[in-house]
Amino acid sequence: MTAAARTITVYYGPVINPKSLECFQALPRCLLAVCPDGNISWIEEDISSSELEAILHHHGLDDASKYVLTELKPGEFIMPGFIDGHIHACQFPNLGLGGEDQLMDWLYNTVFPTEARFKDVGYAAVVYPDVVNRTINCGTTTSCYYGSLHLEATKILAYVVSAKGQRAFVGKCNMNRKSADYYVEPSVEESMDTMKALISYIEGLPRTASGEALVRPIITPRFAISCTNELLEELGDFATTVPDIPIQTHIAENPKEVEEVRELFPCSSSYAGVYDDFKLLRKNTILGHGVHLTDDELELIADRGAGLVHCPASNFFLSSGMAKVGKMLDYGIKVGLGTDVAGANHPSILYTIQMASTTSKMVAIQSTEKREKGKFANKILDSAALLYLATLGGADVCCLKHRIGSFERGKAFDALLVSIRDDTGNPAVWGNNPDRRLTEGPDAQITEELLKVWLQRFFYSGDDRNIRRVFVQGALIGGQEFQCQLV
């Protein structure tokens, strides 16, 4: 290890730190230290520039060779990285296509032909590096990836994620019925064998210096419709032998889908009941969508400790409906955000935040229920709630809240360096401009309220141009400045 690799990195400047659905810290003068292993060593929340040297000395950093100090520019801040709880890596080639269809027709007309191409490992080797680069540069530090049903292609996806340093769960779809005849697994045995082979492969990928796995396997029945009772039974039995391996699938996305589940599983009480009957509903189950869940299903999901991933952009693009996120939260369910590429037409959680805001407003407008029935039901998701869902909420859904999603001593430094400066080139953001002497100019004092304004500008008018650096486990792996280094 070189001397540079052994030094502590200290960031000084504005920091956004989520705490709950209702509050977050906006720290204009924060000092945050990251150990060489990528974990946060310490945080000092309010340090003036005149106190900087004394505080560094207090933490044993009295020798400049022991640390690297990065001071943020006016208009920049640091926040936790985004967590995408539901994304189909094998659907990037059909981004933006098929929006005239609803879910079931869209799968047959657009998705299955696209995913079938990943039988060609050469195709996967070309596509997946670009997929992972795009998600990273959109600010996604953790992804829950669905691969296709192909073992070798999904191995490539897992390898690429590992090589690029992103944190992720990677799963191969289990699907042995109700698909195109050219894109379906021939037997339960092959479905199970290839899934187990992928799990073994992923568990053999390189780990961090401390032994932590950044890339982890995840059991991935596509959805109840695509799996026979025998396959679901085998998956459930296997899942009980590996309780630490999470499970991801879809639930109640579209009315036609829900009706088909009822027809295929007449003995189950509900869609959620199907997964519960087959021992696939537990604390580390990650359910995508949940647009059309009943109250009984919400109660069941809450009782099992499973999490839901809100995918608003996809729900709009495929005319699936609007998930009642506030109601989910009132039931005590863990909720995060997902892009659901390519159900959605954009791979950015930032865009998902904007769509989640719109969804909550439309649900509030259309609600006929009394708003006082719950704390969050039928109410608009504000910046604090959206920040939480995109970071700490997603970490909770992934059972990684102890490691990521916020800044605390001992947690991983998975973070974004965001800029709302005009020199990012985003015309929608009215940001910091050295030539414009306004309240956000270079002479302005950065206050807590001003930092909250910056976060709103980023959330509702920002895009990937405003994401300057992306860090996972302390390592710089993406962002606009990282891309410039590669050119």
Side-chain angles (χ1 to χ4, degrees):
M1 183 182 289
T2 66
R6 291 194 296 268
T7 58
I8 288 178
T9 303
V10 182
Y11 298 93
Y12 180 55
V15 168
I16 297 289
N17 195 22
K19 289 295 183 179
S20 72
L21 283 158
E22 297 178 278
C23 72
F24 63 92
Q25 292 178 304
L27 307 171
R29 294 169 297 278
C30 185
L31 202 58
L32 188 154
V34 180
C35 292
D37 64 3
N39 292 321
I40 297 171
S41 176
W42 48 265
I43 302 173
E44 298 283 357
E45 294 182 357
D46 188 13
I47 304 299
S48 67
S49 57
S50 63
E51 298 174 299
L52 190 57
E53 185 175 344
I55 295 298
L56 291 172
H57 181 79
H58 171 74
H59 287 283
L61 302 178
D62 48 4
D63 184 342
S65 65
K66 295 180 180 179
Y67 67 95
V68 174
L69 178 64
T70 299
E71 296 191 56
L72 275 59
K73 301 175 185 176
E76 293 182 340
F77 63 89
I78 288 174
M79 64 171 287
F82 293 139
I83 298 171
D84 190 339
H86 189 96
I87 181 170
H88 295 262
C90 52
Q91 291 179 16
F92 269 69
N94 62 266
L95 263 168
L97 303 180
E100 65 277 4
D101 287 331
Q102 291 196 24
L103 174 66
M104 301 306 290
D105 290 335
W106 177 74
L107 288 173
Y108 282 91
N109 295 337
T110 303
V111 171
F112 293 154
T114 299
E115 293 191 14
R117 295 190 66 184
F118 285 86
K119 181 178 181 180
D120 179 355
V121 293
Y123 181 73
V126 170
V127 171
Y128 280 145
D130 185 48
V131 168
V132 179
N133 280 336
R134 290 187 185 205
T135 61
I136 290 172
N137 291 325
C138 284
T140 300
T141 51
T142 299
S143 281
C144 294
Y145 285 118
Y146 284 67
S148 63
L149 60 75
H150 309 102
L151 170 61
E152 296 306 321
T154 313
K155 283 183 180 179
I156 291 172
L157 171 61
Y159 173 81
V160 169
V161 173
S162 176
K164 292 187 178 293
Q166 190 182 38
R167 194 182 301 272
F169 297 90
V170 178
K172 180 204 74 66
C173 277
N174 297 99
M175 44 186 295
N176 70 333
R177 72 167 173 187
K178 293 289 182 177
S179 182
D181 56 7
Y182 57 83
Y183 188 61
V184 65
E185 293 177 304
S187 67
V188 170
E189 291 74 21
E190 179 167 321
S191 184
M192 294 298 297
D193 288 346
T194 52
M195 180 196 67
K196 292 175 184 178
L198 178 67
I199 290 172
S200 296
Y201 175 80
I202 292 174
E203 290 179 339
L205 289 172
R207 294 172 173 248
T208 66
S210 62
E212 182 179 14
L214 290 183
V215 183
R216 306 181 188 192
I218 186 165
I219 298 167
T220 309
R222 187 182 196 109
F223 60 168
I225 290 172
S226 67
C227 301
T228 60
N229 288 39
E230 184 183 0
L231 178 54
L232 289 173
E233 185 174 0
E234 288 286 332
L235 288 168
D237 288 344
F238 176 74
T240 61
T241 69
V242 286
D244 293 333
I245 296 181
I247 301 161
Q248 64 178 356
T249 190
H250 300 74
I251 191 167
E253 180 178 354
N254 176 277
K256 185 177 178 181
E257 166 211 8
V258 173
E259 182 58 36
E260 190 162 352
V261 169
R262 289 197 191 101
E263 294 172 359
L264 290 170
F265 301 94
C267 294
S268 293
S269 61
S270 63
Y271 203 152
V274 173
Y275 295 131
D276 194 48
D277 290 344
F278 288 101
K279 298 176 284 190
L280 293 168
L281 195 64
R282 61 192 192 188
K283 67 178 182 179
N284 58 354
T285 297
I286 302 171
L287 301 166
H289 298 284
V291 179
H292 303 283
L293 291 169
T294 65
D295 289 356
D296 287 344
E297 287 178 296
L298 291 171
E299 186 173 353
L300 175 61
I301 292 167
D303 286 346
R304 297 294 182 263
L308 281 163
V309 181
H310 180 36
C311 305
S314 171
N315 296 337
F316 278 128
F317 188 71
L318 296 178
S319 304
S320 296
M322 295 181 293
K324 295 178 174 60
V325 174
K327 191 173 185 179
M328 298 172 183
L329 295 171
D330 283 340
Y331 269 87
I333 296 171
K334 302 178 294 187
V335 181
L337 296 181
T339 58
D340 191 30
V341 168
N345 54 335
H346 203 295
S348 172
I349 286 291
L350 189 58
Y351 180 73
T352 305
I353 287 170
Q354 295 158 9
M355 292 296 99
S357 173
T358 299
T359 298
S360 71
K361 292 171 184 175
M362 293 304 299
V363 168
I365 290 169
Q366 295 183 1
S367 173
T368 57
E369 300 176 24
K370 293 182 179 180
R371 296 191 177 187
E372 59 269 19
K373 283 187 175 180
K375 191 173 186 180
F376 299 104
N378 308 314
K379 296 177 183 176
I380 294 170
L381 295 173
D382 62 13
S383 297
L386 293 167
L387 172 66
Y388 182 87
L389 294 178
T391 55
L392 207 49
D396 201 12
V397 169
C398 295
C399 297
L400 289 176
K401 197 174 182 179
H402 64 294
R403 290 293 295 137
I404 58 174
S406 65
F407 299 134
E408 297 177 24
R409 182 178 178 180
K411 294 181 76 168
F413 186 67
D414 286 16
L416 309 179
L417 193 157
V418 175
S419 173
I420 62 152
R421 294 166 62 88
D422 284 351
D423 56 19
T424 62
N426 180 356
V429 172
W430 183 268
N432 187 281
N433 184 335
D435 297 323
R436 187 171 62 235
R437 297 295 189 266
L438 296 175
T439 57
E440 297 179 37
D443 299 326
Q445 181 181 1
I446 301 173
T447 64
E448 180 180 340
E449 290 307 311
L450 180 56
L451 184 50
K452 290 179 179 179
V453 168
W454 289 0
L455 180 66
Q456 289 187 42
R457 293 195 190 283
F458 176 55
F459 269 12
Y460 305 116
S461 297
D463 61 30
D464 61 295
R465 287 170 292 187
N466 300 104
I467 300 171
R468 307 310 295 173
R469 303 181 199 173
V470 179
F471 301 91
V472 170
Q473 200 62 45
L476 177 63
I477 67 166
Q480 294 298 313
E481 293 178 12
F482 181 80
Q483 293 181 78
C484 290
Q485 294 176 14
L486 300 178
V487 175

